[in-house]
Amino acid sequence: METITQLTASNIAAEHICCAFSDKKCAAGYQAKKEWLLQQFDEGYVFKKFDIRGKVFIEYVPAEKAWVPIDAPGYMLINCFWVSGQYKDKGFGKALLQECLKDAEGMKGIAVVSSAKKQPFLSDKQFFIKNGFKKCDEAAPWFELYYLPLTDDAPAPGFKACAKNATSDVKAGLSVYYTNACPFTEFYVKELEQIAKQRQLPITIVPLSTREQAQNHFIPHTIYSVFYQGKFVTQNILNENYFAKFVQPLLERKGG
C-alpha cells in the first residue's frame, strides 16, 4: 500500500490537498484552504493523505479546537474523511483511521459527525459503526454524532444546543454560511449569489471566519450550509442544478 503523508507548514506548498486539484475554477478556493490549514496546524489540526492522485485523506483536530459546535472535551474530532471511487474497500479507510487512533492516544476518544441517511459532504456512518463507533447524539434534521471511547470512563460527547434546531437568525430569503475548510466553497458561494440575484431572491452571505463563530453555528456542519426563511435546507454545495433540486421547490411552495 502507498505511503501516508502528513501535511505541515514546511511541505504544504509542494503537496496537493486531494480536493479540487484538477478543478481550475476552484483554484482560489484551493489556495484559501491551504492558508486555512496553515493557520490550524498550530492548534493541533492534522491532515494526512495517501500519496496517490486521488481523494484519499483524513483531517482531525482536538475537539476543543474544532470549527464545529460540539461539546467533547478530551476528544479528537474527525473533521473530514474521504476515500473515493476506486480506492474504496481496499483498506485505505482503515489505515487512515488507524492514524487518527495513533494520534488520539491518551485522549478520551474520537468523535465524528455523520447523518441518519447517507448525505453529501458527511462521512458515512456505516464505516464507523463497523469500526466500533456508537451514536451518542442527534440534531435536526438528520445530523448524528458518533464516538469511539478510548477510556473506560469517557463521557459521551454531544452537539451544542445552538446546533440542535437547524434554524438561523436570518429569516428573509436565502442565507449561506461557509468556511475555507473546503476548496469548493468560495467559488460556489459566489455562483449561488448570482443565481439568487437572477431570481431577485434576497441572499445573505456569512463567512464563518473564526472558530468562535463556527462553534456557535446553527447546525453541526459548518463548512457550508444553506437556509431559506431561517430554516436549514442543505449542506450540499449548490450550483444551478442543485439550486433547482433543493431551493426552487421551496420558492414555488411560497409562490416566490
Side-chain angles (χ1 to χ4, degrees):
M1 187 174 285
E2 289 80 358
T3 57
I4 293 174
T5 294
Q6 178 172 347
L7 296 189
T8 65
S10 60
N11 70 8
I12 192 171
E15 293 285 346
H16 74 75
I17 54 172
C18 300
C19 291
F21 52 76
S22 62
D23 195 337
K24 302 303 181 186
K25 66 180 181 293
C26 294
Y30 186 86
Q31 187 57 39
K33 171 154 186 177
K34 282 194 170 186
E35 293 170 3
W36 184 87
L37 285 169
L38 278 170
Q39 295 170 10
Q40 304 312 308
F41 287 154
D42 288 341
E43 305 291 347
Y45 200 92
V46 175
F47 185 119
K48 292 187 179 184
K49 65 186 180 76
F50 274 97
D51 290 332
I52 50 183
R53 193 75 171 170
K55 300 178 181 70
V56 188
F57 66 97
I58 190 169
E59 301 175 40
Y60 48 88
V61 63
E64 295 90 339
K65 300 293 186 179
W67 288 47
V68 177
I70 183 178
D71 284 317
Y75 274 80
M76 190 76 82
L77 179 73
I78 296 175
N79 195 48
C80 194
F81 188 30
W82 200 344
V83 178
S84 64
Q86 62 181 306
Y87 303 105
K88 290 182 178 179
D89 301 318
K90 295 183 179 179
F92 290 99
K94 283 190 175 183
L96 291 171
L97 180 58
Q98 285 301 315
E99 290 294 310
C100 183
L101 282 164
K102 180 178 66 177
D103 289 343
E105 186 176 354
M107 301 180 74
K108 293 179 181 178
I110 300 172
V112 63
V113 179
S114 187
S115 52
K117 292 184 179 180
K118 194 170 182 181
Q119 291 278 341
F121 297 95
L122 291 172
S123 295
D124 184 359
K125 68 181 180 181
Q126 296 304 328
F127 171 83
F128 295 101
I129 291 171
K130 288 177 183 176
N131 284 279
F133 284 69
K134 305 171 185 177
K135 186 170 77 171
C136 55
D137 205 359
E138 299 177 346
W142 49 66
F143 296 98
E144 295 181 343
L145 185 63
Y146 286 80
Y147 80 117
L148 181 68
L150 299 179
T151 64
D152 292 337
D153 59 347
F159 293 129
K160 287 187 174 181
C162 62
K164 289 276 193 172
N165 298 319
T167 57
S168 78
D169 55 2
V170 178
K171 303 303 181 184
L174 278 184
S175 54
V176 55
Y177 302 77
Y178 74 99
T179 75
N180 287 124
C182 172
F184 297 106
T185 53
E186 287 263 358
F187 177 86
Y188 286 105
V189 164
K190 291 176 182 176
E191 182 166 310
L192 180 58
E193 183 177 26
Q194 292 304 311
I195 294 170
K197 285 181 177 179
Q198 290 167 8
R199 290 163 172 77
Q200 297 184 320
L201 176 63
I203 183 169
T204 301
I205 296 170
V206 184
L208 301 177
S209 54
T210 69
R211 181 185 297 111
E212 183 180 14
Q213 283 178 291
Q215 289 186 349
N216 289 283
H217 192 43
F218 309 111
I219 62 167
H221 185 78
T222 61
I223 292 173
Y224 180 97
S225 53
V226 176
F227 296 76
Y228 178 63
Q229 307 288 62
K231 295 182 179 179
F232 174 65
V233 176
T234 185
Q235 79 287 338
N236 196 99
I237 292 177
L238 299 184
N239 56 18
E240 190 78 48
N241 289 337
Y242 284 125
F243 182 93
K245 177 180 178 180
F246 289 101
V247 180
Q248 193 61 42
L250 302 177
L251 301 182
E252 292 169 357
R253 259 199 302 270
K254 293 277 186 179

